Amino acid sequence: MKKSILGLAGLGLTSLLMLTGCGKSDDVLVVGTNASFPPFEYVGGPSGDEVKGFDIDLARQIAKDAGKTLKIENMNFDSLIVALNSGKIDFVASGMTITEERQASVDFSAPYYEATQVVLMNKDNDSIKSIDDLNGKRIAVQLGSTGDIMAKNYSDNVTAFNTGFEAVMELRNAKVDLVLFDSEPAISFLNQNPQLKMVELDFEPEFYGLAVSKNQTELLSQINTTLSNMKSNGAYDALVSKHMK
Ligand code: ARG
């Protein structure tokens, strides 16, 4: 569809950006994620390249309620906020913890999941009993995650990887002492790596939120409405039982 210059002048900045920049159409909602964070988002399925998980099911319901088709953009975790604020994606569903620092550049939905950081280590390692024991340890994390930010409070020896999977590999190869990671994906890594164990320390709880760029009030309220409907009609609990074992 062609728009006249006059027609364009009447459009808001966002629609203008959508027409010029990124080939997004009005009936598509683009969710950004980093699909290396099971059970929230991971690559799998019969074809082996389908992005699936708890967050993806949430995102599908949000798109459905908005009468739109969901498109998934899988990217590095530390690219998500940039992609959001450049209009490449409409919202982030990626187990993203609501933090004050992130709230300075994006808006979050109501919290939809409570998590905490945990330690993954090799079974034969007994050196971590409390948070203080993290001091000076060699720690692997996912780049840009809350684990990454926290680890730096304890150690100068923090290596950040694009995926938690790579961090776990580093641990299996004994190149680091531990991985600091979110609880649910840690359990899922544990299930695949019987030589590892999980140590729970006294970390503060974290709350995941879906993120939109600032001033996307309509989308944000649609997202919150879907979340609260899913909580009250049992769909949220059904997703928890489907994805968290
Ligand atoms: N909750 C952590 C954070 O915000 C880690 C999230 C990582 N998510 C992912 N899909 N890789 O920072």
Side-chain angles (χ1 to χ4, degrees), residues 33-37 40-41 55 77 80 93-99 102 115 117 142 144-147 162 181-182 206 208:
T33 196
N34 169 253
S36 67
F37 198 70
F40 292 95
E41 43 269 337
D55 286 340
F77 185 73
L80 286 166
S94 200
M96 188 176 271
T97 301
I98 302 171
T99 67
R102 289 172 181 158
Q117 295 297 307
Q142 177 169 36
S145 66
T146 42
N162 275 326
F181 212 50
D182 296 48
E206 298 183 12
Y208 296 165

Side-chain angles (χ1 to χ4, degrees), residues 22 24 30-33 72-73 75 79-92 213:
C22 37
K24 267 195 309 202
V30 186
V31 64
T33 196
I72 302 165
E73 291 282 352
M75 62 187 79
S79 304
L80 286 166
I81 287 183
V82 178
L84 190 59
N85 285 333
S86 68
K88 190 170 183 244
I89 56 177
D90 295 308
F91 70 111
V92 171
S213 59

Side-chain angles (χ1 to χ4, degrees), residues 67-213:
K68 298 191 179 188
T69 309
L70 186 73
K71 183 168 179 245
I72 302 165
E73 291 282 352
N74 186 13
M75 62 187 79
N76 285 342
F77 185 73
D78 72 327
S79 304
L80 286 166
I81 287 183
V82 178
L84 190 59
N85 285 333
S86 68
K88 190 170 183 244
I89 56 177
D90 295 308
F91 70 111
V92 171
S94 200
M96 188 176 271
T97 301
I98 302 171
T99 67
E100 262 179 45
E101 199 195 12
R102 289 172 181 158
Q103 276 170 325
S105 54
V106 301
D107 285 338
F108 281 101
S109 69
Y112 68 88
Y113 201 87
E114 182 178 335
T116 185
Q117 295 297 307
V118 297
V119 167
L120 283 177
M121 21 194 343
N122 286 303
K123 268 185 180 153
D124 56 4
N125 185 341
D126 274 329
S127 66
I128 311 279
K129 300 254 177 340
S130 72
I131 293 184
D132 284 345
D133 295 332
L134 297 176
N135 287 316
K137 292 284 186 309
R138 298 171 302 162
I139 307 179
V141 293
Q142 177 169 36
L143 185 64
S145 66
T146 42
D148 185 3
I149 297 158
M150 281 167 60
K152 288 176 182 145
N153 294 331
Y154 305 106
S155 177
D156 293 331
N157 202 336
V158 178
T159 318
F161 295 89
N162 275 326
T163 63
F165 178 77
E166 291 163 275
V168 167
M169 277 303 151
E170 199 77 349
L171 175 63
R172 285 183 53 172
N173 295 330
K175 300 229 178 71
V176 292
D177 302 307
L178 64 112
V179 171
L180 196 58
F181 212 50
D182 296 48
S183 35
E184 289 292 346
I187 292 171
S188 151
F189 285 126
L190 208 58
N191 291 336
Q192 275 144 40
N193 297 280
Q195 67 276 63
L196 302 184
K197 67 177 176 187
M198 186 169 104
V199 180
E200 293 178 71
L201 303 176
D202 252 346
F203 290 118
E204 295 288 307
E206 298 183 12
F207 297 91
Y208 296 165
L210 302 164
V212 300
S213 59

